[in-house]
Amino acid sequence: MCRLPAMINPTRRLYPSDMTDDEWAIWEPVLPAVPLHPNFPEPKYSRRELLNGVLYRMRTGCQWRHLPHTFPPWQSTASHFYRWRNSGVFERARDKMRRSERQAQGRHAEPTLGVVDSQSVKATEVGGEKGFDAGKKVKGRKRHILVDCLGLLLAVTVTAASVQDRDGLVAVAEKRSSTPIGLKKILVDSAYNGDVIAQFTGRTGVPVEITKPPEGSKGFSVVRIRWVVERTFGWLNRERLLSKSYERTIESEEAWINLATVRMLVRRASRRLPV
């Protein structure tokens, strides 16, 4: 059973997005300590409360300025999110938790099979890179993700929605922390074709296989193994901040996607801890 979080501020109400003690025990080792100023030897705000504020925004989709006053000031919460984003904290935590989850399910830490797909989402008026996806009739951005056979995120790249899927595959596969060399095969749908894919396979030695619905099927059809990437998009869409592209920069949007993955895996891991 997960214990409720110990309160930093005893008068603060608990939010559903708050971490439990067990979840914080998993998070704490991967979250860098807050840099201290020489004139202020003690941190003003705890890492746990700062991260709780970040998780609250991800879950509710509110603006930084609209964070409840029971959290640390929104300026401090936002600045720490950007520090963690810029230092690659969320990517490292994602990879660590993915390996742990795979081993907990009796698999090798690193996968040999990958699945790639994209999701076009509408963008708001905040600006930043965006484009028009003529196929989906969506003006905004496109999220290209590479997952393993369990649907666990290996890498993510966000581009303008006008970028072709086949170009996104190359970008997201080569963004994987250990490069795609460890993968033996990547599964995709029929949108991934052309010379770009052939050049990628020739350069990396990783074959890209197009999987199709069963013969004679009409409308939407679940494709064996490759369907897990659609489930991953469903997991990510549970976070309201990811329902649209709200961020000005693609770096921030990628960070939120990685953070959403870590949050999910941390909760899974906390449930396996002994009572």
Side-chain angles (χ1 to χ4, degrees):
M1 180 183 298
C2 292
R3 300 183 295 275
L4 290 175
M7 298 303 297
I8 305 303
N9 176 5
T11 63
R12 182 169 86 73
R13 61 173 292 185
L14 288 174
Y15 295 105
S17 59
D18 284 343
M19 292 174 287
T20 65
D21 286 338
D22 290 336
E23 290 170 4
W24 174 241
I26 299 171
W27 258 112
E28 189 173 15
V30 301
L31 202 64
V34 178
L36 300 180
H37 191 279
N39 297 332
F40 302 97
E42 296 296 329
K44 191 172 183 180
Y45 306 110
S46 73
R47 287 179 292 160
R48 181 169 179 173
E49 283 295 85
L50 290 164
L51 183 57
N52 272 334
V54 170
L55 295 176
Y56 178 92
R57 180 174 187 250
M58 181 173 68
R59 192 63 173 178
T60 64
C62 72
Q63 296 174 319
W64 284 119
R65 293 175 181 269
H66 291 180
L67 278 179
H69 297 302
T70 47
F71 288 118
W74 71 265
Q75 298 94 329
S76 297
T77 307
S79 67
H80 280 81
F81 167 80
Y82 294 125
R83 290 187 204 178
W84 292 328
R85 179 202 69 181
N86 294 340
S87 59
V89 167
F90 302 133
E91 289 90 337
R92 291 193 295 273
R94 175 202 69 199
D95 292 341
K96 177 182 178 181
M97 295 308 304
R98 184 193 66 249
R99 296 185 189 104
S100 177
E101 178 66 19
R102 286 181 58 84
Q103 290 173 329
Q105 297 197 30
R107 295 178 177 270
H108 293 294
E110 294 295 343
T112 57
L113 178 66
V115 185
V116 170
D117 204 353
S118 67
Q119 177 191 53
S120 294
V121 293
K122 294 181 179 180
T124 61
E125 73 283 355
V126 295
E129 186 176 355
K130 63 183 70 173
F132 182 71
D133 183 345
K136 300 291 180 61
K137 302 297 187 290
V138 172
K139 183 178 181 181
R141 290 177 178 163
K142 187 175 288 187
R143 299 164 180 169
H144 310 266
I145 64 173
L146 170 65
V147 303
D148 65 8
C149 64
L150 300 177
L152 306 181
L153 190 67
L154 297 171
V156 56
T157 294
V158 177
T159 65
S162 54
V163 173
Q164 295 292 323
D165 287 354
R166 55 178 174 266
D167 298 319
L169 178 144
V170 176
V172 72
E174 294 185 343
K175 192 170 184 178
R176 176 156 147 66
S177 58
S178 59
T179 71
I181 295 175
L183 298 177
K184 304 299 183 185
K185 182 186 294 186
I186 295 178
L187 303 182
V188 296
D189 62 26
S190 56
Y192 296 84
N193 52 47
D195 294 338
V196 172
I197 302 300
Q199 292 170 7
F200 169 80
T201 299
R203 184 172 66 256
T204 63
V206 181
V208 177
E209 179 180 315
I210 297 177
T211 55
K212 299 180 180 180
E215 289 289 339
S217 61
K218 296 182 179 179
F220 175 78
S221 180
V222 175
V223 180
R224 182 175 177 269
I225 300 180
R226 190 169 59 80
W227 70 273
V228 298
V229 71
E230 303 294 346
R231 184 180 61 181
T232 303
F233 282 126
W235 288 338
L236 295 175
N237 287 337
R238 292 174 181 173
E239 310 297 343
R240 187 165 292 183
L241 191 64
L242 296 178
S243 62
K244 284 186 178 181
S245 184
Y246 291 101
E247 296 299 303
R248 184 178 300 276
T249 66
I250 60 175
E251 291 81 9
S252 290
E253 189 165 342
E254 291 171 358
W256 287 114
I257 292 172
N258 285 319
L259 178 58
T261 300
V262 178
R263 177 60 184 274
M264 177 188 69
L265 295 178
V266 166
R267 284 191 161 177
R268 288 189 190 181
S270 68
R271 297 190 188 107
R272 289 195 292 266
L273 293 176
V275 178

